[in-house]
Amino acid sequence: MLCTRLTNARFLTMDPDHPVAHDLGIWRGRIVGLDEAVTSLPAREVIDLQGATVLPGFIDAHVHLAWTGFKENTPSIAGRSRIDDVLAVVEEAVTRKGSPGSWVSIAGYDQRALGRHLTAAEVDKVSHGRKVFLLHDSGHGCVVNTAVLDLLPADIPHDSGFLTEGAMGAARALRLPYSQAELAEAIGRAARTCLAQGVTACAEAGIGGTLFGHSPVELGAYQLAAEKGLLPLRVQLMVSADRLRTVAAHEADGIPRALDLGLRTGFGGDRLSVGALKIYTDGGMMARTAALSSPYEGLDHTGQLQDDPDVLADTIVDGHLAGWQLAVHAIGDRAADIALDALERAQRLRPRPGARHRIEHAGLIRPDQLPRFAQLGISAVVQPDFLRCFGDDYAAIMGEQRAPWLYRGRAFLDHGITLVGSSDRPVTDGSPLRAVQFMVERASESGQVIGPDEGITVDEALRAYTVAGAFACHREDSLGSLTPGKLADLVVLGDDPRHVDTSRIGDIEVLATYVDGRETGRPAS
């Protein structure tokens, strides 16, 4: 007897052997059959989906759950374009805080809306003895007041209170980490948001590190969230390369640096597992710290690397030798050069054709870099919503020649490169359907078309958020398509993305989300 049979729906299975179905049978959390194989079988529950369209649950291959959850509960200055209005929000948050000397966090900072960066001196006027930390929306910078600057070593660089990358990490390190209970609650909030958008699995893009980590025991917070029932979707955890340390392993192991006990990619179960090693090579375009091979338009610099190029390359090689799948953050083309060179050296030292290394973002990839991606078998994990939300700005700072190379689609596919969809939430809206719409249209929110030749089909975009996401996370045996034997994770939509006008794809309603064959993500009405 089936546990559940879902019927009267258009199942877009993403499986070429059985691309469309009308019935789907579930037993103990797995898909056991389609159409005639299950239609006549008895079931404890039969659910009539009334003609809805059903897809495999979306896989968001690059998110920041804890950051998303905390941001939802943090005072924000997003959308404000006047310095005085921003400072008023900061002062209101400061006055609600406890004792003098405490920390006050503010979200939503973006200098582009203001025309320039805030200064520590301006924030000092409304700080009232508190330590104030305004996190840049990109996650690659912050503004702090003098009370924070006074605690930093004198050699930490900043621009009148604006700190980027490692300097920002030094400021974050002054604070006590969040508790595991606080982290678990934040993770749970973000997970519920994911489910409401049809996401049933995601990859957390870097725990425990200086830049985006929240605690040296952050993995334990995810375990706590799972134990408390706060983790209703599947999460694969990328571990920050900051956590690697030199180990005295057996010479034959060939492992120069590792996590304690040799933990690496693949440990865990269906709900919570350890994924790739996250390695940061550069910053972000919003903060103008993505590392380019030629200057930003209108600026006299090319961004910045996170460390000396040889240090970055050695970390990539050591991670590969230690058996990790690597997720190398490289937004600018100069950073991508470093990543490609290091990955090529790593594979030469110890060939691992099945490693499935990834380059996260791949925001600006030159034509000459595409064959190298393909040759090395690297997946491109892109965030289409970056251009939907910020495309006008990105196109302007790249200029006419480079703008068509931003967050590519068609060029990756034409070179045989696995194209993987993701959001980098909370940097942008995490809706996979809005991202799918952009991947087809290549239109920003203003209507500007950016790199029209990089547009792909709806089916190809859906694959990026299902089949390709599963492949990039080494989960293709259990996720990514509605195939008998795989886990019964699926999303129920109010319309078929292939049959509506492209401009409407992002507005298709997510009616329900199923994980392990159980409905867990019906959006609030």
Side-chain angles (χ1 to χ4, degrees):
M1 174 180 285
L2 299 173
C3 296
T4 306
R5 186 172 76 251
L6 304 178
T7 189
N8 188 20
R10 183 186 297 110
F11 293 92
L12 308 182
T13 68
M14 308 308 292
D15 181 346
D17 292 335
H18 196 145
V20 181
H22 53 77
D23 275 18
L24 181 145
I26 299 169
W27 185 70
R28 293 189 176 181
R30 290 190 178 266
I31 299 166
V32 294
L34 301 167
D35 293 342
E36 288 73 20
V38 297
T39 299
S40 61
L41 294 179
R44 295 193 186 100
E45 181 181 32
V46 177
I47 298 176
D48 184 341
L49 293 177
Q50 300 180 357
T53 297
V54 182
L55 280 158
F58 295 126
I59 299 170
D60 191 335
H62 185 117
V63 304
H64 300 277
L65 289 182
W67 179 14
T68 299
F70 284 126
K71 187 175 182 179
E72 290 178 6
N73 279 10
T74 300
S76 176
I77 57 174
R80 289 169 173 80
S81 57
R82 297 178 62 249
I83 299 291
D84 288 346
D85 292 343
V86 167
L87 294 176
V89 174
V90 174
E91 186 164 30
E92 181 183 359
V94 163
T95 56
R96 291 201 306 266
K97 201 68 179 175
S99 60
S102 57
W103 286 82
V104 178
S105 294
I106 305 292
Y109 177 69
D110 187 342
Q111 85 285 355
R112 298 173 304 174
L114 302 174
R116 65 170 176 85
H117 281 296
L118 284 175
T119 67
E122 288 170 327
V123 181
D124 287 344
K125 296 175 183 177
V126 295
S127 297
H128 301 289
R130 274 68 168 181
K131 303 179 188 74
V132 179
F133 185 101
L134 294 93
L135 180 62
H136 196 278
D137 259 348
S138 67
H140 288 273
C142 66
V143 170
V144 299
N145 62 348
T146 303
V148 177
L149 293 177
D150 287 345
L151 299 175
L152 290 169
D155 61 348
I156 296 293
H158 69 90
D159 181 10
S160 300
F162 178 63
L163 302 92
T164 61
E165 311 305 339
M168 179 196 70
R172 292 187 69 196
L174 296 171
R175 307 178 64 171
L176 282 175
Y178 288 101
S179 71
Q180 287 197 348
E182 290 173 312
L183 279 163
E185 292 292 335
I187 291 162
R189 283 193 295 273
R192 292 189 292 274
T193 301
C194 290
L195 285 172
Q197 294 177 330
V199 175
T200 58
C202 63
E204 166 64 49
I207 62 170
T210 301
L211 282 181
F212 290 93
H214 294 87
S215 167
V217 290
E218 196 165 357
L219 191 151
Y222 279 86
Q223 289 181 285
L224 179 63
E227 291 162 1
K228 294 176 68 174
L230 300 174
L231 200 63
L233 76 170
R234 305 185 198 283
V235 179
Q236 189 177 80
L237 302 172
M238 299 184 205
V239 178
S240 174
D242 296 15
R243 310 309 300 176
L244 291 181
R245 64 181 181 86
T246 302
V247 293
H250 195 284
E251 183 178 356
D253 294 336
I255 299 175
R257 284 189 283 172
L259 290 187
D260 287 343
L261 303 178
L263 187 72
R264 60 174 173 82
T265 303
F267 183 81
D270 285 337
R271 283 295 185 122
L272 184 63
S273 61
V274 174
L277 184 73
K278 180 71 178 294
I279 302 171
Y280 294 91
T281 63
D282 68 345
M285 286 187 187
M286 292 170 64
R288 311 314 195 222
T289 55
L292 310 179
S293 55
S294 57
Y296 289 87
E297 287 286 310
L299 300 176
D300 60 357
H301 70 85
T302 58
Q304 67 186 79
L305 297 170
Q306 294 288 352
D307 210 326
D308 179 86
D310 290 339
V311 172
L312 295 172
D314 287 346
T315 301
I316 290 170
V317 171
D318 286 354
H320 173 88
L321 295 177
W324 287 90
Q325 178 191 25
L326 303 180
V328 183
H329 168 116
I331 292 183
D333 60 327
R334 177 160 58 106
D337 278 334
I338 290 171
L340 291 167
D341 288 346
L343 289 167
E344 184 176 22
R345 173 157 67 97
Q347 290 284 17
R348 192 165 56 244
L349 289 172
R350 181 179 295 171
R352 289 176 53 213
R356 298 188 193 172
H357 296 320
R358 313 157 35 145
I359 287 186
E360 308 297 301
H361 307 296
L364 186 75
I365 300 300
R366 302 187 309 269
D368 64 286
Q369 293 173 319
L370 292 166
R372 299 192 68 195
F373 268 77
Q375 182 182 9
L376 291 167
I378 295 169
S379 297
V381 183
V382 300
Q383 296 75 40
D385 266 349
F386 278 15
L387 290 189
R388 187 177 68 86
C389 296
F390 314 129
D392 295 354
D393 174 61
Y394 284 15
I397 61 173
M398 289 301 106
E400 185 176 354
Q401 179 187 6
R402 292 181 294 182
W405 305 343
L406 287 164
Y407 294 91
R408 292 176 179 271
R410 172 56 53 202
F412 284 133
L413 293 178
D414 285 351
H415 281 79
I417 298 161
T418 301
L419 176 66
V420 184
S422 69
S423 69
D424 203 18
R425 71 172 77 228
V427 179
T428 62
D429 172 13
S431 166
L433 288 169
R434 292 194 184 99
V436 165
Q437 177 177 324
F438 174 84
M439 294 173 89
V440 179
E441 291 182 327
R442 300 287 298 187
S444 71
E445 288 179 334
S446 74
Q448 179 180 356
V449 178
I450 303 164
D453 291 343
E454 292 296 333
I456 62 177
T457 69
V458 174
D459 281 330
E460 289 168 334
L462 291 173
R463 284 183 66 83
Y465 277 90
T466 53
V467 175
F471 178 85
C473 295
H474 287 272
R475 297 299 306 274
E476 73 275 12
D477 289 343
S478 58
L479 300 175
S481 66
L482 302 180
T483 302
K486 292 192 177 184
L487 293 164
D489 295 359
L490 46 91
V491 55
V492 183
L493 303 178
D495 217 328
D496 186 339
R498 305 171 309 165
H499 293 159
V500 302
D501 188 271
T502 303
S503 64
R504 289 185 49 219
I505 293 174
D507 295 323
I508 293 174
E509 184 180 2
V510 175
L511 301 176
T513 308
Y514 286 73
V515 177
D516 282 331
R518 293 187 292 273
E519 184 177 352
T520 57
R522 182 179 293 277
S525 58

